[in-house]
Coordinates of all heavy atoms in Angstrom, one line a residue:
Chain C
R190 N -9.7 -53.9 -28.1 CA -10.0 -53.8 -29.5 C -8.7 -54.0 -30.3 O -7.6 -53.4 -29.9 CB -10.5 -52.4 -29.8 CG -11.0 -52.3 -31.2 CD -11.5 -50.9 -31.4 NE -11.8 -50.6 -32.8 CZ -13.0 -50.5 -33.3 NH1 -14.1 -50.5 -32.5 NH2 -13.2 -50.2 -34.6
D191 N -8.7 -54.8 -31.4 CA -7.6 -54.9 -32.2 C -7.6 -53.8 -33.2 O -8.6 -53.5 -33.9 CB -7.6 -56.2 -33.0 CG -7.4 -57.4 -32.1 OD1 -6.8 -57.2 -30.9 OD2 -7.8 -58.5 -32.4
L309 N 3.1 -51.9 -23.5 CA 4.0 -53.0 -23.1 C 4.3 -53.9 -24.2 O 4.8 -55.1 -24.0 CB 3.2 -53.8 -22.0 CG 3.1 -53.0 -20.7 CD1 2.2 -53.8 -19.7 CD2 4.5 -52.7 -20.1
G310 N 4.2 -53.4 -25.4 CA 4.5 -54.2 -26.6 C 5.9 -54.7 -26.6 O 6.2 -55.9 -26.8
A312 N 7.8 -55.2 -24.3 CA 8.1 -56.1 -23.2 C 7.5 -57.5 -23.6 O 7.9 -58.5 -23.0 CB 7.5 -55.6 -21.9
G313 N 6.5 -57.5 -24.4 CA 6.1 -58.8 -24.9 C 4.6 -59.2 -24.6 O 4.2 -60.2 -25.0
A314 N 3.9 -58.3 -24.0 CA 2.5 -58.6 -23.7 C 1.7 -58.4 -24.9 O 1.9 -57.4 -25.7 CB 2.0 -57.9 -22.5
D315 N 0.6 -59.2 -25.2 CA -0.3 -58.9 -26.3 C -1.3 -57.9 -25.9 O -1.8 -57.1 -26.7 CB -1.0 -60.2 -26.7 CG -0.1 -61.1 -27.5 OD1 0.8 -60.6 -28.2 OD2 -0.2 -62.4 -27.3
S316 N -1.8 -58.0 -24.7 CA -2.8 -57.0 -24.3 C -2.6 -56.8 -22.8 O -1.9 -57.5 -22.1 CB -4.2 -57.5 -24.5 OG -4.4 -58.8 -24.1
V317 N -3.1 -55.6 -22.4 CA -2.8 -55.2 -21.0 C -4.2 -55.0 -20.3 O -5.0 -54.2 -20.8 CB -2.1 -53.8 -21.0 CG1 -1.7 -53.4 -19.6 CG2 -0.9 -53.9 -21.9
F318 N -4.3 -55.6 -19.1 CA -5.5 -55.3 -18.3 C -5.1 -54.8 -17.0 O -5.0 -55.5 -16.0 CB -6.4 -56.5 -18.2 CG -6.9 -57.0 -19.6 CD1 -6.3 -58.0 -20.2 CD2 -7.9 -56.3 -20.2 CE1 -6.7 -58.4 -21.5 CE2 -8.4 -56.6 -21.5 CZ -7.8 -57.7 -22.1
G330 N -4.0 -49.4 -22.4 CA -2.9 -50.3 -22.6 C -2.7 -50.6 -24.1 O -3.7 -50.8 -24.8
F331 N -1.5 -50.8 -24.5 CA -1.2 -51.2 -25.8 C -0.2 -52.4 -25.8 O 0.7 -52.4 -25.0 CB -0.6 -50.1 -26.7 CG -1.5 -49.0 -26.9 CD1 -1.5 -47.8 -26.1 CD2 -2.4 -49.0 -28.0 CE1 -2.3 -46.8 -26.3 CE2 -3.3 -48.0 -28.2 CZ -3.3 -46.8 -27.4
G332 N -0.5 -53.4 -26.5 CA 0.3 -54.6 -26.5 C 1.3 -54.7 -27.7 O 1.5 -53.7 -28.3
R333 N 1.7 -55.9 -28.0 CA 2.7 -56.1 -29.1 C 2.1 -55.8 -30.4 O 0.9 -56.0 -30.7 CB 3.1 -57.6 -29.1 CG 4.3 -57.9 -28.2 CD 4.8 -59.3 -28.5 NE 3.7 -60.3 -28.6 CZ 3.8 -61.4 -29.3 NH1 5.0 -61.7 -29.9 NH2 2.8 -62.3 -29.4
M334 N 3.0 -55.1 -31.3 CA 2.6 -55.0 -32.7 C 3.0 -56.3 -33.4 O 4.2 -56.6 -33.4 CB 3.3 -53.8 -33.3 CG 3.0 -53.6 -34.7 SD 2.3 -52.1 -35.2 CE 3.5 -51.0 -34.7
T335 N 2.0 -57.0 -33.9 CA 2.3 -58.2 -34.6 C 1.6 -58.3 -35.9 O 0.6 -57.6 -36.2 CB 1.8 -59.5 -33.8 OG1 0.5 -59.3 -33.5 CG2 2.6 -59.6 -32.5
R337 N -0.8 -59.8 -38.3 CA -2.0 -60.7 -38.1 C -2.7 -60.9 -39.3 O -2.7 -60.0 -40.2 CB -2.9 -60.1 -37.0 CG -2.2 -59.8 -35.7 CD -3.1 -59.3 -34.6 NE -2.3 -58.7 -33.6 CZ -2.8 -58.1 -32.5 NH1 -4.0 -58.2 -32.3 NH2 -2.0 -57.6 -31.6
A350 N -0.8 -55.2 -36.5 CA -2.0 -54.8 -35.7 C -1.5 -54.7 -34.2 O -0.5 -55.3 -33.9 CB -3.1 -55.7 -35.9
I351 N -2.3 -54.0 -33.5 CA -2.0 -53.9 -32.1 C -3.3 -54.0 -31.3 O -4.3 -53.7 -31.8 CB -1.3 -52.5 -31.9 CG1 -0.4 -52.5 -30.7 CG2 -2.4 -51.4 -31.8 CD1 0.4 -51.2 -30.6
T352 N -3.2 -54.6 -30.1 CA -4.4 -54.7 -29.3 C -4.4 -53.5 -28.3 O -3.5 -53.4 -27.5 CB -4.5 -56.0 -28.5 OG1 -4.4 -57.1 -29.5 CG2 -5.8 -56.1 -27.7
A353 N -5.5 -52.7 -28.4 CA -5.6 -51.6 -27.4 C -6.6 -52.0 -26.4 O -7.7 -52.6 -26.7 CB -6.2 -50.3 -28.1
S354 N -6.3 -51.8 -25.1 CA -7.2 -52.2 -24.1 C -7.5 -51.0 -23.2 O -6.7 -50.1 -23.0 CB -6.6 -53.3 -23.2 OG -5.4 -52.9 -22.7

Side-chain angles (χ1 to χ4, degrees):
Chain C
R190 184 181 174 112
D191 290 340
L309 292 176
D315 284 327
S316 48
V317 185
F318 296 101
F331 294 95
R333 271 188 319 155
M334 175 122 62
T335 51
R337 304 186 197 179
I351 204 172
T352 303
S354 57

